[in-house]
Amino acid sequence: MRVPSALELVLFWLVCRVATPVKICAFNAKRFGEAKLAKGPIRDAIVKIVARCDICLLQEVQDAKGRAVVALMKELNRVHGAEAFRYISSASLGRKSYLEKYVFVYRSDQAELTDTYQYEDNHPERPDIFAREPFVVRFNLPTSVLKDLVLVPQHTSPPDAVKEIDALYDVFEAVKDRWKPESIMFLGDFNADCDYVAKKRWPLIRLRTEPGLAWLIGDEADTTVRANTNCAYDRIVIYGEKLSREVIPGSAGAYDFPQILGLTEAEALEVSDHYPVEVQLSSIRVGNNGQDQLSRPGTPTLLLLAASLMMGRFS
């Protein structure tokens, strides 16, 4: 059997490349604005957190002029390559003077924005439920088995968490009527635990009780940075059989950025008092027969190469 040349190895890598899973995250970035990004260590931590994700929902973005988001994008693309990341932002949302934006930052080679929808909180029987109405986005995921995915963000007002989470079911029905999607993901800081959502209130929340909706971040999770709190505030909820099949088992959870980045609690709290939450979806790889094939994490390309060699692919 002939030993393959370096060129043949490169060609084999290209025709049998293994795509990484698609990672979707939600991060309450705690009063994200220009002053925050001006601090180098905080900026660097946020860049590292966001860059881990193919799509990252940022919440609590207090950036009326959009300068902080532009600065974040400039830094992300400086580190990872021009046009590596793009973003889409809602308008400033909220009541009176306290306003926030929902911002989706996404990798341009992993996600393509196809549509947006600003939900209007004008239900005739329950007007003005949301402090910050969901800014719904739709993505094409070219490297995912799933392809089409709708994301519904929500950062609830803590005192109204129960009724806002429940009202997400109205958003769910509105999105289904508007786009008729097969796959929908709700994500964000729902304030869905501890003092804001008592266990006895869960039966009142349709997003929890109606069939077909799966909560990927469980009640036992801790999505808070402070050592003296243990609350599952941040959640990911999915709808759709196809989406359920493509969620990689065990991939949903909170990202303990203080431990990973080596930050003290005080340093971490300068970044945020919330952990990001995340989930991974199956990707596709292009095989040497030109067909899309399912790819799960941990598929080692060198093993594929070894198998090919053993079968005499280069003989």
Side-chain angles (χ1 to χ4, degrees), residues 12 25 54 60 94 101 131 222 240 258 278-279 315:
F12 182 81
C25 312
D54 295 303
E60 213 166 296
K101 295 179 179 180
D222 181 12
E278 61 188 41
V279 66
S315 59

Side-chain angles (χ1 to χ4, degrees), residues 54-312:
D54 295 303
I55 302 174
C56 183
L57 162 66
L58 293 176
Q59 304 144 84
E60 213 166 296
V61 176
Q62 299 176 338
D63 184 31
K65 296 181 179 179
R67 293 172 181 168
V69 174
V70 170
L72 172 64
M73 298 304 300
K74 183 177 181 180
E75 186 66 12
L76 279 166
N77 288 323
R78 183 189 69 80
V79 174
H80 296 277
E83 300 299 320
F85 287 89
R86 297 175 182 171
Y87 79 96
I88 183 71
S89 172
S90 73
S92 294
L93 302 168
R95 301 184 180 118
K96 298 182 180 178
S97 61
Y98 184 83
L99 303 175
E100 298 178 10
K101 295 179 179 180
Y102 296 115
V103 176
F104 288 89
V105 179
Y106 58 97
R107 288 185 177 269
S108 58
D109 61 343
Q110 297 292 325
E112 176 189 359
L113 182 71
T114 58
D115 212 341
T116 65
Y117 165 44
Q118 179 61 67
Y119 180 77
E120 296 183 4
D121 195 5
N122 57 2
H123 195 288
E125 298 178 3
R126 298 183 298 280
D128 198 26
I129 293 291
F130 295 107
R132 295 165 286 272
E133 297 87 345
F135 176 64
V136 186
V137 298
R138 191 173 194 176
F139 283 105
N140 172 50
L141 306 178
T143 67
S144 170
V145 178
L146 192 67
K147 302 299 185 189
D148 181 61
L149 179 63
V150 172
L151 300 178
V152 182
Q154 186 55 41
H155 178 205
T156 70
S157 174
D160 299 323
V162 171
K163 67 179 183 180
E164 288 195 24
I165 301 170
D166 174 67
L168 283 174
Y169 195 80
D170 296 325
V171 181
F172 172 59
E173 293 186 321
V175 170
K176 285 197 299 179
D177 289 343
R178 187 181 187 91
W179 288 334
K180 297 177 175 54
E182 292 184 351
S183 304
I184 303 174
M185 179 181 295
F186 302 82
L187 68 172
D189 176 9
F190 292 1
N191 287 295
D193 201 1
C194 295
D195 293 339
Y196 306 128
V197 180
K199 291 181 180 179
K200 65 181 180 181
R201 307 301 297 278
W202 284 115
L204 306 177
I205 297 174
R206 289 168 293 163
L207 197 74
R208 181 72 166 239
T209 60
E210 291 296 317
L213 293 152
W215 288 58
L216 301 185
I217 308 295
D219 297 343
E220 74 288 348
D222 181 12
T223 69
T224 63
V225 169
R226 296 183 190 277
N228 62 354
T229 59
N230 191 329
C231 300
Y233 287 146
D234 304 79
R235 303 295 186 112
I236 297 175
V237 181
I238 62 171
Y239 162 81
E241 291 184 8
K242 191 171 183 179
L243 175 54
S244 297
R245 288 196 303 269
E246 302 313 325
V247 169
I248 295 175
S251 68
Y255 174 64
D256 186 348
F257 73 86
Q259 180 180 8
I260 301 300
L261 301 182
L263 304 178
T264 66
E265 181 176 311
E267 291 169 336
L269 288 171
E270 289 292 309
V271 178
S272 180
D273 52 355
H274 288 253
Y275 295 142
V277 290
E278 61 188 41
V279 66
Q280 295 185 65
L281 307 180
S282 300
S283 60
I284 56 172
R285 62 181 171 85
V286 180
N288 60 350
N289 58 359
Q291 300 296 313
D292 290 348
Q293 301 174 41
L294 183 63
S295 175
R296 301 284 182 177
T299 308
T301 303
L302 290 178
L303 288 181
L304 290 171
L305 175 60
S308 298
L309 289 171
M310 291 177 65
M311 292 186 293

